[in-house]
Structure formats: C-alpha cells, structure tokens
Amino acid sequence: DIQMTQSPSTLSASVGDRVTITCRASQSISSWLAWYQQKPGKAPKLLIYEASSLESGVPSRFSGSGSGTEFTLTISSLQPDDFATYYCQQYNTYSRFGQGTKVEIK
Amino acid sequence: EVQLVESGGGLVQPGRSLRLSCEASGFTFDDYAMHWVRQAPGKGLEWVSGISWNSGSIGYADSVKGRFTISRDNAKNSLYLQMNSLRAEDTALYYCAKGGLVVVIGYFDLWGRGTLVTVSS
C-alpha cells in the first residue's frame, strides 16, 4: 500500500503569508496527486489535480508542484477564506489520503 | 444544478447491514467513475470504494473488503453502497464523490454533503 505523509500537521499563519504544505508518498506516484480543502462541517473541495493542474474556479493563489514522491501545495498570499484543513490524495493505486494539515490563524 | 445527494445513513447495531444511496444530477452520470469516501468524527478522509463508469472495474479499501459492495444504476443516475457486518469503526460521515475520470482510479471533483452512519449497540 502507498502511504501518504503530510507535513506539518498544523500550521499557524497570518493573512498575507506564503504557505507551503508538503506531501510525501511512500513510493513513486508519478504526478497522480490531488489536493483538497475542507472547512468545518463541509465536504472537501478539489483544488489541484495531477500535481499541478488548478481546478476550474479555484483562485490562482493556490498552486501545486512535485512528482514522484514529493509534492507541495503553496498558497501565495493567505486569505481569510483559506483557513481550513488541506488533504493530499494519491490516485496512482486506487486512492489514499494524507492525514491532513490544519491551517489556523496565528 | 450539479449535485450529489446521499441518503440511507442512520444508527445500526454492530453486525447488522445498511445500504447507502447517492443520487446524481446536473451531469452525465455514466461518463464518470463514482466513489464513496468516509470521515470518522474528528478524523481525516478515507477512500472506501470506487466503481468505473460501466461497473467494469471496482476497488475497495482493505478495511471494508469482503463486507461492503459498491454498485451503480446508470439509468437511475444512482450509486449505492451495501454495508454488511458493520463494526463500530465504520462509524463515519459517508460522502459520495464523482470521479474526475471514467476509470476507477482518479481524483474527486464533486462531493455530496454526506450521510452519517453510526454503528453502536
């Protein structure tokens, strides 16, 4: 089974900060990685697929990069609406999510 | 409106069965794979099962293999999850999710609001 490890588990940041979340796969998954945002009491929302493709309607301050086993989600300038939990998901072999990264207000 | 609406959740005793349903609207249902993803209270996301557009390819997480069965009815734009031999650890909010591709392996670009399953005596 492919394991997904996100870091950090919690991130404290201020509005306007540049934020980076890392996701590591236990084996190569090529570019078969997606990122989701989830707010309390809401369903997850797709942000990025195929490691770096921005889902339609998602603000351009979100970007993804990486391939193989190491990936990053970057928020270029954190906005109030971005405080949420973020998950990576590999879909190279069925599917598995990372444990999540909570972005909270500093 | 493009949406997924789950139903069928509830309180069930350990060892019993439950069938979840998901009704899709606003898109061509049989053009996409469909999935179930669950989230235990206060925990992260766990993929449960997925089914390709024509039911030709199906996958399950190890935690539910042999107990859960996914199916779809393209004529009714509906997805199902038959859950047998339920355990306390199956307690979660179950989301229906649309795959971004026709094949069972893929990302999830549309989610329902979820239906809560509680397994307890």
Side-chain angles (χ1 to χ4, degrees):
Chain A
D1 283 1
I2 300 174
Q3 304 299 319
M4 305 301 293
T5 304
Q6 285 182 235
S7 60
S9 296
T10 306
L11 187 159
S12 297
S14 303
V15 173
D17 284 354
R18 181 181 181 88
V19 167
T20 298
I21 299 169
T22 297
C23 180
R24 289 186 173 86
S26 59
Q27 64 188 73
S28 178
I29 57 171
S30 185
S31 295
W32 307 124
L33 185 104
W35 289 98
Y36 300 84
Q37 176 193 69
Q38 187 179 33
K39 297 180 180 179
K42 300 292 186 181
K45 173 187 173 184
L46 177 67
L47 300 175
I48 302 282
Y49 62 95
E50 212 167 316
S52 60
S53 296
L54 192 68
E55 172 70 348
S56 176
V58 173
S60 58
R61 63 181 179 272
F62 291 93
S63 64
S65 64
S67 66
T69 62
E70 188 150 339
F71 303 85
T72 59
L73 173 71
T74 300
I75 308 173
S76 60
S77 178
L78 197 66
Q79 298 302 300
D81 191 47
D82 301 338
F83 291 97
T85 299
Y86 294 84
Y87 294 93
C88 63
Q89 174 224 355
Q90 70 81 14
Y91 53 96
N92 180 76
T93 307
Y94 286 124
S95 182
R96 187 178 291 270
F97 292 90
Q99 80 278 17
T101 295
K102 184 177 181 180
V103 177
E104 58 182 27
I105 300 173
K106 190 172 184 179
Chain B
E1 183 184 1
V2 178
Q3 63 177 357
L4 299 169
V5 179
E6 303 93 337
S7 60
L11 174 63
V12 61
Q13 293 179 327
R16 304 297 289 263
S17 299
L18 206 59
R19 189 193 196 210
L20 305 184
S21 299
C22 169
E23 186 169 343
S25 58
F27 64 96
T28 305
F29 184 70
D30 55 9
D31 273 354
Y32 299 97
M34 295 295 296
H35 300 262
W36 290 99
V37 177
R38 68 185 181 184
Q39 187 167 35
K43 302 297 184 182
L45 301 170
E46 180 187 16
W47 175 78
V48 173
S49 182
I51 185 168
S52 62
W53 68 281
N54 64 351
S55 304
S57 181
I58 287 174
Y60 297 98
D62 288 344
S63 58
V64 307
K65 202 173 293 182
R67 300 188 298 123
F68 290 11
T69 302
I70 192 172
S71 62
R72 65 189 294 164
D73 184 337
N74 288 345
K76 295 183 178 179
N77 289 346
S78 293
L79 176 72
Y80 307 100
L81 186 68
Q82 177 66 43
M83 304 187 295
N84 298 333
S85 304
L86 282 161
R87 306 167 179 167
E89 54 265 37
D90 296 319
T91 294
L93 185 63
Y94 284 73
Y95 291 105
C96 171
K98 170 184 167 290
L101 308 169
V102 296
V103 295
V104 71
I105 295 176
Y107 51 88
F108 314 130
D109 60 4
L110 176 68
W111 297 64
R113 292 185 174 183
T115 187
L116 182 62
V117 173
T118 303
V119 184
S120 175
S121 54

